Amino acid sequence: MKKLVGNVLLTAGLIVGAITAARIPPMWGGVAVSLAIMGVGIFLRRQGEKEELHRAAESGTGGVKELDALLTDAISRIEKIMDAPREEVVRELTKVLEELEEFAEKAQPLRIEGLMTYGNIMSIFSRGERALNRAWSAFADGYEEEGRKYLRYGYEDLKETLSAVRALKV
């Protein structure tokens, strides 16, 4: 609710500010009031977002448990295709990449731990996801040696991401 009220106040402050600033001469009192309204809107929006993150973390939607399960599943599936034929790798890697698309959304509650923690985990994960996408592309284009190289890179980065996520449980 706070997030909604914050968005409404932010929008109202922006509109009032634009109208009062567009007059000649500008209505400085109206601009000041609109800036104050926007400030309150931003504050409420951020408070509402923090509350949503805490609720998501407490309810188990997103956060460490789901990320752990998602990464563990992806890693085990990649292990099974490390030496598989090219067509099987492309088929299975497509499924893995589709499932990993959910990672960023499910990782949002990690921002409670701090932006540095969240950024660190997302940096490692995104590097791994890029490598897996390159592997898929190389396999699909027939460059099997390059595909296996990037598959290994992506696998290692996902393992590193899993270690970082598990370290948060402590």
Side-chain angles (χ1 to χ4, degrees):
M1 185 66 177
K2 283 184 181 179
K3 192 173 177 182
L4 175 66
V5 172
N7 283 335
V8 169
L9 287 176
L10 188 57
T11 303
L14 182 66
I15 291 170
V16 170
I19 291 170
T20 57
R23 298 176 75 77
I24 299 186
M27 297 172 58
W28 294 113
V31 171
V33 168
S34 70
L35 288 174
I37 291 171
M38 289 190 318
V40 170
I42 290 170
F43 175 78
L44 287 175
R45 188 181 190 302
R46 293 184 81 183
Q47 288 295 332
E49 193 170 286
K50 283 182 183 177
E51 289 174 6
E52 283 180 9
L53 291 175
H54 282 287
R55 274 194 303 273
E58 289 170 4
S59 70
T61 55
V64 176
K65 290 178 184 173
E66 281 192 46
L67 295 178
D68 189 313
L70 183 68
L71 289 169
T72 302
D73 180 55
I75 289 168
S76 68
R77 291 171 75 177
I78 292 171
E79 286 172 346
K80 292 176 184 172
I81 60 170
M82 284 291 196
D83 297 317
R86 185 175 68 86
E87 295 80 20
E88 184 181 337
V89 173
V90 171
R91 188 173 49 254
E92 191 63 28
L93 196 52
T94 300
K95 294 173 187 173
V96 170
L97 287 168
E98 286 173 354
E99 290 174 9
L100 288 177
E101 285 179 10
E102 299 174 17
F103 186 88
E105 185 69 32
K106 290 182 178 185
Q108 291 301 313
L110 294 182
R111 295 186 335 198
I112 295 169
E113 303 290 330
L115 282 180
M116 288 299 292
T117 302
Y118 174 77
N120 193 20
I121 289 172
M122 290 307 294
S123 294
I124 300 165
F125 171 75
S126 64
R127 186 177 63 216
E129 186 183 32
R130 265 193 315 276
L132 292 176
N133 278 309
R134 285 181 181 169
W136 182 91
S137 181
F139 276 114
D141 291 341
Y143 298 102
E144 194 167 330
E145 185 177 322
E146 182 181 354
R148 296 213 185 273
K149 179 174 88 172
Y150 281 105
L151 185 62
R152 172 72 54 197
Y153 290 160
Y155 170 75
E156 294 299 328
D157 288 336
L158 287 186
K159 283 177 57 177
E160 187 177 345
T161 304
L162 182 60
S163 296
V165 167
R166 285 183 174 163
L168 294 175
K169 288 183 178 180
V170 177

